[in-house]
């Protein structure tokens, strides 16, 4: 029996409301000021000469220290601009690609920032349950290769041969509540796997057994083995490899490895390795009490938007109440499911949600006033309603069209605001649907069932004796 989960429970909090995790990453040959001082103090205990030698090995740059050792290929020889051009280009390329990897992961709230020119600070929201493996894998660099029995496979020994010539695509699939990495092979890849499949060992049935003597096809990034392919992982048609099996709940781990492989296959590795600092927590950007205050503010706003329309517009205000509930349901479901499992609620998403909800009610009140103006001209209630809607419809369309175009422009032009733009589109389209169709349909349904149509709108005709 499947367990039903309310849509509201699908939401995670962004770092501005729920805090998160962060870690610093330093290229080889670059260390933090703290690490330098600690190492210098340790050398000083050994003797002044050792401390002086260590001091000569590094040059300061902002909050970092860059190695002057030629083998690290970091130092330019100029203390005023200590980083070499080759190192600068390699770091810039790596930073750009790592940011693209985290974007591919689908987080609506993450940050990859360059600190002091030559280090990275990466932040993930606390809701990222797979943050440990993400922070570990998506910063890996190096060239990708394949080895069998510790030696590069024959297909890659040819001049100009690349692993990307053997792999067509990488994807994630789920079967029998197990997620796995699905690697589709090119024709050359099929030929390669067919030639070595009989030499590969069967997958061990006991994870605790010794696997050092088994023959596997190892997919490596630099010196690190990412995946081990056993004979069991090769499909019968030799067109596909399935590996890295985890529980369905841990599907995000497989997706992380897939993003890394796709990135390296498409863009190659980098002549730059990154060392991770300690992963630490940080508090919500706006403070721990902000979320409670937001709950109160949203509740007050919803109550006000349910009560005030009834006070001001009578039973037509009840239609606005139904509009509010409909908006909550539509946007709530879209927020939870359309934007994906990695979606986080941020302060921006809440403000957009409330702003469009207020707009829905403002346009409802504008329509009511237009109907009232038609009625005061001496028209019947039915005629006034039709006239009021007719005179306001183009204004409503114009407002939502402008908002939708603005949201689309933000979606296309502002990469850092991609999810907020998507949330805005959801709110705007939902609001337009309610103002132009849904609320109007509810109003006509209620009005046709009303016995006293004057009372329905709280209209008073001065020349009617019974009013």
């Amino acid at each position: 029996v499947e367990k039903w989960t309310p849509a509201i429970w699908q939401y995670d909090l962004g770092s501005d409301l729920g805090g998160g995790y962060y870690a610093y990453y330093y290229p080889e040959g670059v260390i933090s000021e703290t690490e330098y001082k600690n190492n210098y103090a340790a050398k000083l205990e050994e003797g002044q000469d050792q401390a002086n030698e260590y001091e000569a090995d590094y040059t300061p740059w902002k909050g970092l220290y860059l190695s002057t050792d030629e083998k690290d290929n970091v130092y330019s020889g100029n203390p005023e601009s200590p980083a070499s051009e080759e190192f600068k280009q390699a770091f810039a390329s790596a930073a750009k690609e790592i940011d693209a990897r985290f974007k591919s992961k689908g987080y609506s709230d993450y940050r990859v920032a360059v600190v002091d020119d030559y280090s990275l600070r990466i932040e993930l929201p606390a809701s990222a349950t797979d943050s440990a493996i993400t922070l570990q894998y998506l910063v890996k660099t190096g060239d990708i290769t394949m080895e069998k029995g510790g030696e590069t496979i024959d297909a890659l020994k040819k001049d100009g041969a690349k692993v990307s010539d053997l792999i067509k695509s990488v994807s994630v699939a789920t079967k029998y509540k197990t997620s796995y990495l699905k690697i589709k092979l090119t024709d050359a890849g099929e030929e390669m796997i067919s030639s070595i499949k009989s030499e590969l060992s069967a997958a061990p049935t006991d994870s605790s057994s010794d696997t050092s003597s088994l023959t596997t096809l190892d997919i490596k990034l630099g010196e690190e083995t990412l995946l081990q392919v056993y004979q069991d992982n090769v499909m019968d048609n030799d067109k596909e490899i399935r590996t890295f099996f985890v529980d369905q709940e841990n599907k995000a781990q497989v997706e992380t490895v897939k993003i890394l492989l796709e990135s390296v296959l498409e863009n190659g590795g980098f002549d730059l390795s990154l060392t991770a600092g300690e992963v630490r927590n940080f508090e919500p950007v706006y403070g721990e009490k902000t979320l409670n205050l937001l709950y109160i503010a949203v509740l007050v706003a919803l109550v006000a938007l349910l009560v005030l329309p009834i006070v001001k517009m009578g039973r037509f205000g009840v239609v606005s109440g139904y509009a509010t509930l409909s908006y909550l349901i539509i946007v709530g479901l879209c927020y939870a499911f359309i934007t994906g499992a990695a979606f986080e609620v941020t302060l921006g998403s809440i403000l957009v949600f409330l702003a469009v909800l207020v707009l829905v009610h403002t346009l409802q009140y504008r329509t009511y006033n237009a109907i009232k103006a038609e009625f005061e001209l001496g028209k019947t209630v039915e005629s006034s309603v039709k006239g009021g809607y007719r005179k306001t419809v183009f204004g409503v369309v114009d407002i939502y069209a402008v908002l939708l175009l603005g949201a689309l422009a933000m979606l296309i032009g502002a990469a850092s605001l991609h999810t907020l733009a998507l949330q805005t589109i959801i709110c705007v389209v939902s609001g337009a649907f309610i103002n132009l169709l849904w609320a109007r349909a509810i109003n006509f349904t209620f009005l046709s069932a009303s016995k006293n149509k004057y009372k329905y709108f709280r209209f008073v005709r001065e020349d009617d004796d019974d009013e």
Side-chain angles (χ1 to χ4, degrees), residues 3 8 44 78 146 168-169 179 263 296 340 354 378 411 419 458-459 463:
K3 182 180 178 182
I8 190 67
L44 192 59
N78 179 10
M146 288 184 177
K168 182 185 298 184
S169 65
S179 298
S263 170
I296 296 172
L354 289 176
L411 182 67
T419 302
R458 291 188 178 173
F459 288 165
D463 56 353

Side-chain angles (χ1 to χ4, degrees), residues 364-384:
Q364 280 290 102
Y365 187 64
R366 182 181 177 184
T367 300
Y368 173 80
N369 285 331
I371 294 172
K372 186 176 181 180
E374 291 290 300
F375 178 78
E376 290 174 350
L377 294 176
K379 298 181 180 179
T380 63
V381 173
E382 291 84 352
S383 179
S384 299

Side-chain angles (χ1 to χ4, degrees), residues 175-213:
K175 188 175 183 180
Y176 304 129
K177 295 188 176 180
T178 300
S179 298
Y180 58 90
L181 199 65
K182 184 165 64 173
I183 302 175
K184 288 189 176 182
L185 303 174
T186 62
D187 292 341
E190 292 176 35
E191 183 179 344
M192 176 274 297
I193 203 70
S194 177
S195 66
I196 67 170
K197 183 169 64 172
S198 60
E199 303 173 30
L200 301 180
S201 301
T205 56
D206 185 357
S207 59
S208 63
S209 61
D210 181 22
T211 59
S212 59
S213 61

Side-chain angles (χ1 to χ4, degrees), residues 94-113 122-125 130 134-135 137-139 255-256 258-260 262-263 339-344 409-422:
K96 182 179 179 181
E97 184 57 31
I98 288 170
D99 182 69
R101 292 174 184 176
F102 277 90
K103 182 180 179 181
S104 298
K105 183 68 177 172
Y107 294 119
S108 63
D109 186 21
Y110 76 95
R111 186 166 177 255
V112 177
I122 301 178
E123 298 177 3
L124 296 180
D130 61 330
T134 302
L135 290 171
Y137 271 80
L138 294 189
V139 296
E255 291 175 339
T256 298
K258 172 227 173 198
I259 291 170
L260 174 62
E262 285 183 330
S263 170
T339 52
F343 166 75
E344 293 91 28
M410 185 167 61
L411 182 67
I412 297 171
S416 60
L417 298 176
H418 179 272
T419 302
L420 182 60
L422 183 58

Side-chain angles (χ1 to χ4, degrees), residues 27-28 65 103 105 112-113 136 156 161 185 206 244 247 250 254 265 271-272 329 347 378 404 435 454 460:
E28 184 177 0
Y65 278 79
K103 182 180 179 181
K105 183 68 177 172
V112 177
Q136 174 189 356
L156 295 180
L185 303 174
D206 185 357
F244 197 60
D247 292 338
N250 296 321
V254 190
L265 288 170
D271 295 329
L272 186 82
I329 293 171
L347 182 61
L404 184 59
N435 278 133
Y454 287 2
V460 176

